[in-house]
Amino acid sequence: MERDVIIACDFKNQEELFSFLEPFKGLNPFLKIGMEIFYKEGPQLVRKLKEMGCKIFLDLKLHDIPNTVEKAMRNLGELGVEITNCHAAGGINMMQAARRGLDATESGKNTKLIAVTQLTSISQEILENELLIKENLADVVKTYALNSKAAGLQGVVCSPLEAPIIKELGLISVTPGIRFADDSKNDQKRVATPEYAKELGSTYIVVGRSITAASDPVAAYKRCVKEFC
């Protein structure tokens, strides 16, 4: 089974990012580039990282009307990243439009497109009281995953706790909310250790502060790889 550790590079600018990556030379880790740094540095940052040999999960969570998402994905497809995503809450038509946008570029055809089911900061209480979705959280995730599969996507972003559901559907799962046993949960509700995520069937784990805030980030990364892969 394909497995990998993705480092969440939630830095404020490329100077901070490249300083962090300096000790990783030769390892060519899989990196998650999210909204914070992408909105600061733009597509050129992704191109630089690809030139360095890094694999990229471009985590921009597109969520808009189908036409807008399709055009945006066409632009992102030109970057040739390994994985990118949209929100499953946008519906099947929107997800199909996202796939069309990627497929319109030669490099985008090789990009895995996944959908966000529910953010790991969402609890059952928030789902019911704020989003007015009265269904069980696991059932919502499964339905969103089924919609993603129907739209032709390869997988979803979900909590590691929901990875078994996704595995049963034949989809890949990209799971944030990963912490070492001795780490703080911070602002995420549904979390797991790398070892437990492996047991649950996660395809990729996304690890942020447990690596980026560690006293020895390379050692923390290697620990994650050892426990998960």
Side-chain angles (χ1 to χ4, degrees):
M1 176 182 172
E2 174 188 22
R3 274 199 204 94
D4 212 339
V5 174
I6 302 175
I7 304 174
C9 297
D10 298 321
F11 298 100
K12 65 181 181 182
N13 56 45
Q14 66 177 353
E15 287 76 21
E16 281 192 2
L17 171 59
F18 288 127
S19 176
F20 167 77
L21 290 175
E22 187 67 27
F24 286 84
K25 280 186 176 177
L27 293 175
N28 296 333
F30 209 134
L31 308 178
K32 180 181 81 72
I33 299 300
M35 297 178 191
E36 180 181 6
I37 194 166
F38 187 83
Y39 290 161
K40 169 71 173 176
E41 305 292 353
Q44 188 56 38
L45 172 64
V46 175
R47 295 188 182 99
K48 287 181 183 177
L49 293 170
K50 292 288 291 179
E51 288 170 6
M52 291 168 55
C54 295
K55 293 171 285 187
I56 304 296
F57 167 29
L58 188 56
D59 180 29
L60 300 182
K61 302 181 180 73
L62 271 61
H63 189 180
D64 211 310
I65 62 172
N67 185 56
T68 297
V69 169
E70 181 173 351
K71 291 177 179 178
M73 280 296 186
R74 190 177 301 147
N75 289 332
L76 297 182
E78 294 175 356
L79 297 175
V81 298
E82 280 67 28
I83 305 174
T84 193
N85 61 2
C86 59
H87 265 287
I92 292 174
N93 286 342
M94 189 209 77
M95 290 188 281
Q96 289 173 330
R99 186 68 260 177
R100 284 197 303 273
L102 287 174
D103 290 345
T105 65
E106 201 57 40
S107 53
K109 290 178 182 178
N110 297 319
T111 297
K112 290 183 176 71
L113 179 59
I114 61 176
V116 178
T117 52
Q118 290 294 325
L119 301 172
T120 53
S121 58
I122 299 296
S123 63
Q124 185 68 41
E125 182 181 17
I126 294 172
L127 194 72
E128 293 183 12
N129 297 335
E130 297 180 23
L131 304 182
L132 301 182
I133 298 174
K134 303 301 181 183
E135 304 298 326
N136 180 273
L137 182 57
D139 291 337
V140 173
V141 169
K142 184 174 183 179
T143 297
Y144 282 19
L146 284 167
N147 289 344
S148 303
K149 187 174 184 177
L153 275 60
Q154 287 99 327
V156 300
V157 181
C158 65
S159 157
L161 305 181
E162 288 120 23
I165 301 170
I166 306 308
K167 188 176 181 181
E168 284 181 8
L169 298 177
L171 296 169
I172 65 171
S173 56
V174 178
T175 58
I178 303 298
R179 298 284 185 272
F180 292 124
D182 50 347
D183 287 344
S184 167
K185 291 183 180 180
N186 294 304
D187 56 350
Q188 294 181 317
K189 311 293 184 187
R190 308 189 320 279
V191 301
T193 63
E195 195 170 28
Y196 188 38
K198 179 179 179 179
E199 291 177 18
L200 291 169
S202 295
T203 316
Y204 300 90
I205 55 172
V206 180
V207 187
R209 286 163 281 198
S210 292
I211 294 176
T212 58
S215 57
D216 186 342
V218 173
Y221 170 70
K222 288 181 177 179
R223 176 184 171 185
C224 273
V225 171
K226 182 178 179 181
E227 292 184 9
F228 181 66
C229 300

